[in-house]
Amino acid sequence: MKEDIVILGAGLAGLSTAYHLQKGYSLYEMESEPGGMARSLYRGGYTFDYDGHLLHFRQEYAFKLVSDLLGGNLAPHKRSSWIYSKGNFTRYPFQANFYGLPKPIVKDCLLGLIKAKLALTPTLSPQKTQRVFCGEREKGEGGTNGNFENWIRKTFGNGIADNFMLPYNRKFWRIEPRELTCDWLDGFVPVPTLEDTITGAISDSTKPYGYNSRFWYPVKGGISELAAGFLDRVKNAHFNKKAVTIDQYRHEIIFEDGTIKSFKKLVTTIPLPELFKLLVKAPERVRDAFSMLRFTSIFILNMGIKRDDLSEKHWIYYPEDNVVFYRIGFPANFSMDVAPQGRTSAYIEMSYSHDKEINRDMLTSDAIDGLKKTGIISDENEIEVCLPVDIKYGYALYDCNRKQALHVITDYLKRFNIFPTGRYGSWRYMSMEDVILEGREIASALRSQ
Ligand SMILES: Cc1cc2nc3c(=O)[nH]c(=O)nc-3n(C[C@H](O)[C@H](O)[C@H](O)COP(=O)(O)OP(=O)(O)OC[C@H]3O[C@@H](n4cnc5c(N)ncnc54)[C@H](O)[C@@H]3O)c2cc1C
């Protein structure tokens, strides 16, 4: 078989596709190295990922593959994640742990949850049931066919909604949760039982929740090691090759250096809004579909700190508006290799909406103020490295137009044998494991065509 398949992008999705195809492909990446979003940066003796990148596994196959690619350079960790609100730390997830918060808030949350559970309990007379959704994954917990705010209120009640879920999600997504659908949930938001929540309201419960209560991370070298492991097993990869035009009618890609590559099938992991800019004139209906895609951007400050006692936690969520960041992670607590001796590091995550311009200098100074206000650092002289990373396409927004827009886009591209893949090609909320598995799927589908 000739190299009929072209893969654009050497992030984990592109690498996994290449790895699983084994032959008959060529891979092109605009950067000088592989990994895409799952890459590490090295400064002043510190190793920073673009943003915290922890490995979670739902499937044995992915775990075995990643372990093999990392050749033993992988360690498990039991998550220690917390929420900081009203001046207190409570364990994540909030909906199962509000022990330690002021008593009126605990009461509010519990009462709201009980009312929500009662409202969801089917009564003898079906007309009186207050169930408002009828989703396929309903399972008596509020259903996932409505908007995200409704799902939160129906599932957890108004206390948990107003004291954590809604403020946090507003801060993170940068839009009203009622504008989001529930299509992305897929187990990302754990739903504890009433008994578990009561236990976590009256005591410091350490019960693990959610698919990510354990995670894995390379012992050395940061998350880049994973892409490096793939690259060792992938042939025919070309770097510094930026696609500037994709002529879908002629089945050709033009690169920035003027070279042209023709394809029979194209797997592209380029973010969809950028892909659209590369295509040769597409019909108006398709252009409209691309223009409907919305996203949340992430601005991260990776900091090297001249102290080693910053926090013993893995990461902390900040739902309140009194600080600009929504989460801080402490990578030295899951890999001793990422900071020099006697030092530690932190990633400070902020989100913004692409509709509104942001002043990055202000974000940096606001973040430092927040770090002082919350007692993470006492003086900004403790910061010896501050490395900003700006991720334009952070998270695809699941609004009510997304599904239909994607349908139009993928249908159109398929006519030219173009297969958008990966987190930003599929325009989905995908983890590293998800894109690795998707790479395997697309490789298998292409091989059998
Ligand atoms: C803030 C943040 C935190 C995350 N944290 C986690 C986590 O803790 N755990 C987890 O499992 N997942 C996490 N993820 C998700 C994870 O990063 C992604 O699922 C995965 O890395 C996506 O891989 P990809 O190959 O689909 O996309 P990308 O990594 O974006 O790869 C696309 C590649 O295409 C290349 N490219 C783009 N345009 C062109 C062009 N014109 N020509 C040639 N090449 C081009 C890019 O340079 C890039 O290398 C996080 C994501 C974000 C944004």
Side-chain angles (χ1 to χ4, degrees), residues 9 12-13 29-30 36-37 51-54 243 422-423 430-432:
L12 295 179
E29 163 61 50
M30 70 175 182
M37 206 56 75
D51 189 19
H53 263 74
L54 315 174
R423 179 173 168 111
M430 294 175 92
S431 67
M432 293 185 279

Side-chain angles (χ1 to χ4, degrees), residues 190-206:
V191 181
T193 63
L194 180 59
E195 189 180 343
D196 283 344
T197 303
I198 290 174
T199 310
I202 60 170
S203 65
D204 181 22
S205 165
T206 55

Side-chain angles (χ1 to χ4, degrees), residues 7-16 28-39 50-56 172 211 223 238-246 253-255 268-271 274-275 278 296-300 315 326-327 347 349 391 393-395 421-426 428-436 438:
I7 304 167
L8 278 178
L12 295 179
L15 288 168
S16 172
Y28 296 89
E29 163 61 50
M30 70 175 182
E31 301 288 348
S32 57
E33 55 179 8
M37 206 56 75
R39 260 188 297 166
Y50 268 38
D51 189 19
H53 263 74
L54 315 174
L55 287 153
H56 308 284
F172 174 73
Y211 83 102
I223 202 63
H238 308 268
F239 292 91
N240 300 307
K241 295 290 280 187
K242 180 174 182 179
V244 290
T245 303
I246 298 177
I253 302 163
I254 304 173
F255 292 98
T268 160
T269 64
I270 297 174
E274 297 298 321
L275 177 70
L278 307 190
T296 301
S297 307
I298 309 291
F299 184 74
I300 302 118
W315 63 90
Y326 63 84
R327 188 168 60 179
Y347 52 86
E349 300 173 281
I391 300 178
Y393 301 106
Y395 292 79
T421 305
R423 179 173 168 111
Y424 304 103
S426 301
R428 279 197 281 149
Y429 191 2
M430 294 175 92
S431 67
M432 293 185 279
E433 180 191 36
D434 294 332
V435 301
I436 290 171
E438 197 193 32

Side-chain angles (χ1 to χ4, degrees), residues 32-51 53 70 73 217-229 302-304 331 335-340 345 384-389:
S32 57
E33 55 179 8
M37 206 56 75
R39 260 188 297 166
S40 312
L41 301 160
Y42 308 95
R43 291 286 187 291
Y46 292 91
T47 301
F48 301 109
D49 293 343
Y50 268 38
D51 189 19
H53 263 74
L70 286 169
N73 180 19
Y217 192 76
V219 180
K220 284 176 184 288
I223 202 63
S224 269
E225 294 293 307
L226 179 54
N302 282 298
M303 289 188 180
S335 166
M336 284 166 66
D337 182 62
V338 297
S345 60
E384 63 175 350
V385 176
C386 182
L387 184 62
V389 175

